[in-house]
Amino acid sequence: MSEKNTDVVVIGAGPAGYVCAIRLGQLGRKVICVEEGNLGGTCLNVGCIPSKALISAGHFMEHAEHASAMGFTVDTPTLDLSKLIAWKDSIVTRLTGGIGMLFEKRGVEWLKGSARVKDANTVEVETADGLVVVKARDIVIASGSIPAGIPGFEFGEHIWSSAEALSPETLPKEMIVIGGGVIGMEMGSFYAQVGTKVTVIEYADQILPGVDPELVKVVQRKAKKLGVKIHVSASAKSWKPLGDGLSVAVEISGKTREFSADKILLATGRRPRTEHLNLDICGVKVDSRGFIGVDSQCQTSIPHIYAVGDATTGPMLAHKGSAQGLVVASAILGQGGAAWDAQVVPAVIFTDPEVAMVGMTEAEAIEKGIDVKIGRFNFAANGRAMSIQASDGLVKVVTRASDDTLLGVHMVGPNVTDMISEAAIAIEAGLTSEDITLTIHPHPTLSEVFMEACEDVHNLCIHSAK
Ligand code: NAI
């Protein structure tokens, strides 16, 4: 056993933990970051980054098909799967290596091992060289989340989580995706683009529950074009091996149907990874689902123990975790006023086409009793969208009727995951839809679609004959 002393120990090096550790290091605190896997957490290793690499490869197959409309003759592309996976892995390695380099530059020590809390100032770490006891003034828990299964469906050879789906050795001929949420629809679209027959089983009455149904329609239409079969209000009940593959019993409208495939991708949500941390020993309050409750400074029920990222209540999004990591760093440094005060957290989904949203949906605003005015504009009427052969989609703007304040912006279409940041700034700054129309948007760009949707709120849209 050995002992170390530090100012702060951060448990977990995902986007919440590593951002917090680097900021503390930048500002002169002595920091140890405990991580048992690779630096970067789920996001960099088996989440956001590798999935986006595969998804962009899927788009490439499609672009090649579109090239003929531009006059090119392109043979049907064939895929060397092992090269694709190696390329994806090289991106992951570059990014995780980058965090190691940033840790070194900022004086953050990476302690590779598995941590558990012993008391409010002590963390025990099982490392390859034995137990290390770390004494710290402050503790930050950034232990993330893991895939949550459903009863009767254990992850294994036949049933993949998103992690296995990101590193296939061969492409399944047929795949059943259980859960038509973010992971199910992102990964399902990729597999369909590279030739797998995909069937999505979704429990709710629409795929991507919570997303504005007008946006969902566009994603669903494109998925259908790719050959994806979608069953909503459908519940996966059980599965059994069948020949080399398997079959799944699914209840749809009170009747049980059997679906067969080579693999299942189980994407029914994630759960916080907190049970191994011994949090009850030191009195940190965790709810019945394992989420740690935090205040506006991300402080838990125990002073000097903070929690950030997927382990805390709220959306499981990397950028939310990183923002919390920065709040905690400021709080630890005693920078008065450091608090989580984001009005909105934008969300992005890399389906085909992409979805991005920030703020209230129309339905949420109406439910709150707000009188709303809506503006819409289609990418089909935007020159830039036509020039990149990506004119499916729309931007929908929700404003408060009484004073034109932007309440929500919902986008489906090309590059909307980048475009949404303008809308997030607008809502954070309390801008009106008129403010957006009075801001000159460069031509020809996709961003004009947001401007025209804002013009549409006032029925003053130039490029619409509505
Ligand atoms: P999710 O919560 O987005 O979707 C899970 C879906 O499974 C839901 O639609 C639910 O109705 C359905 N479901 C549950 N049980 C079912 C059953 N028995 N039969 C059929 N359907 C069932 O969770 P997902 O997709 O696993 O993603 C996990 C987390 O990771 C989410 O919080 C998501 O926001 C986050 N994430 C974010 C990404 C991004 O920001 N682009 C990318 C990937 C994940």
Side-chain angles (χ1 to χ4, degrees):
M1 190 193 85
S2 61
E3 198 173 305
K4 286 175 183 277
N5 283 289
T6 186
D7 293 332
V8 187
V9 59
V10 179
I11 302 174
Y18 84 70
V19 166
C20 182
I22 288 174
R23 175 54 53 87
L24 286 163
Q26 276 173 331
L27 297 171
R29 285 294 191 275
K30 195 175 172 199
V31 188
I32 291 176
C33 184
V34 185
E35 170 58 60
E36 61 190 339
N38 294 330
L39 298 178
T42 299
C43 174
L44 267 65
N45 290 286
V46 283
C48 324
I49 298 299
S51 65
K52 264 78 269 180
L54 294 190
I55 286 163
S56 80
H59 290 329
F60 182 81
M61 300 281 272
E62 219 190 329
H63 292 327
E65 280 166 29
H66 286 167
S68 64
M70 295 174 173
F72 292 99
T73 305
V74 180
D75 289 338
T76 308
T78 52
L79 174 63
D80 181 333
L81 187 62
S82 60
K83 273 196 182 158
L84 172 61
I85 301 302
W87 170 74
K88 179 260 306 176
D89 288 342
S90 73
I91 296 171
V92 171
T93 307
R94 225 179 311 154
L95 284 170
T96 56
I99 295 171
M101 183 272 293
L102 292 170
F103 271 15
E104 250 176 70
K105 291 259 188 266
R106 299 301 180 185
V108 176
E109 180 184 342
W110 171 17
L111 183 56
K112 194 166 170 53
S114 171
R116 56 180 181 261
V117 178
K118 184 147 186 273
D119 61 44
N121 295 98
T122 314
V123 167
E124 290 180 333
V125 184
E126 300 280 0
T127 72
D129 302 321
L131 189 72
V132 180
V133 175
V134 183
K135 296 267 179 203
R137 249 202 337 255
D138 298 288
I139 297 173
V140 183
I141 299 164
S143 53
S145 61
I146 48 174
I150 52 173
F153 291 77
E154 294 294 319
F155 293 110
E157 190 205 329
H158 290 294
I159 304 182
W160 283 352
S161 73
S162 49
E164 288 78 41
L166 288 167
S167 293
E169 280 169 18
T170 53
L171 283 177
K173 285 201 178 71
E174 291 183 77
M175 173 187 263
I176 293 172
V177 176
I178 302 178
V182 181
I183 293 178
M185 291 312 299
E186 285 187 355
M187 293 308 297
S189 303
F190 160 71
Y191 274 97
Q193 276 168 334
V194 294
T196 298
K197 282 189 183 156
V198 175
T199 301
V200 175
I201 305 297
E202 168 53 48
Y203 185 76
D205 61 3
Q206 68 166 45
I207 53 165
L208 303 175
V211 176
D212 186 306
E214 286 180 49
L215 274 57
V216 171
K217 248 190 222 160
V218 179
V219 175
Q220 188 148 344
R221 203 168 50 224
K222 182 64 192 289
K224 225 173 161 183
K225 255 193 198 167
L226 286 171
V228 178
K229 298 212 159 53
I230 296 175
H231 299 273
V232 294
S233 305
S235 176
K237 293 293 181 196
S238 60
W239 76 281
K240 58 176 189 253
L242 180 72
D244 290 341
L246 51 92
S247 85
V248 182
V250 180
E251 195 178 294
I252 307 174
S253 313
K255 288 198 181 110
T256 302
R257 279 181 63 181
E258 295 282 334
F259 293 86
S260 59
D262 311 315
K263 295 283 177 204
I264 294 171
L265 167 59
L266 191 60
T268 48
R270 297 178 64 87
R271 62 183 171 84
R273 186 164 175 251
T274 50
E275 68 275 6
H276 61 307
L277 294 172
N278 269 2
L279 293 176
D280 47 339
I281 282 186
C282 61
V284 170
K285 287 207 180 95
V286 174
D287 74 13
S288 57
R289 294 181 304 154
F291 288 101
I292 304 171
V294 291
D295 66 11
S296 64
Q297 290 202 319
C298 300
Q299 197 150 9
T300 68
S301 48
I302 300 295
H304 309 300
I305 300 188
Y306 299 83
V308 291
D310 284 7
T312 64
T313 41
M316 286 184 166
L317 298 171
H319 45 277
K320 168 214 150 195
S322 300
Q324 286 181 315
L326 295 178
V327 166
V328 168
S330 300
I332 288 174
L333 288 155
Q335 294 170 338
W340 176 267
D341 66 351
Q343 304 290 307
V344 285
V345 179
V348 291
I349 308 175
F350 293 81
T351 41
D352 183 14
E354 296 176 355
V355 170
M357 57 223 170
V358 62
M360 283 183 237
T361 60
E362 182 181 5
E364 282 164 352
I366 291 170
E367 203 181 306
K368 284 195 162 84
I370 303 170
D371 193 10
V372 294
K373 274 181 98 173
I374 304 294
R376 290 181 185 81
F377 195 78
N378 290 328
F379 281 96
N382 174 270
R384 179 70 185 130
M386 286 180 209
S387 75
I388 56 170
Q389 290 194 322
S391 45
D392 276 348
L394 78 152
V395 172
K396 178 174 174 182
V397 166
V398 181
T399 63
R400 187 159 51 213
S402 59
D403 61 5
D404 193 35
T405 301
L406 280 167
L407 300 175
V409 179
H410 305 269
M411 305 176 165
V412 58
N415 294 10
V416 295
T417 52
D418 286 315
M419 279 169 58
I420 201 67
S421 298
E422 181 189 358
I425 293 172
I427 295 178
E428 282 288 347
L431 300 187
T432 61
S433 74
E434 191 184 26
D435 289 326
I436 302 299
T437 67
L438 295 174
T439 304
I440 296 173
H441 284 64
H443 177 74
T445 63
L446 299 170
S447 71
E448 292 172 281
V449 177
F450 177 38
M451 178 184 72
E452 299 230 36
C454 288
E455 286 173 345
D456 187 52
V457 173
H458 308 280
N459 222 356
L460 288 173
C461 194
I462 296 293
H463 297 100
S464 161
K466 189 181 83 175

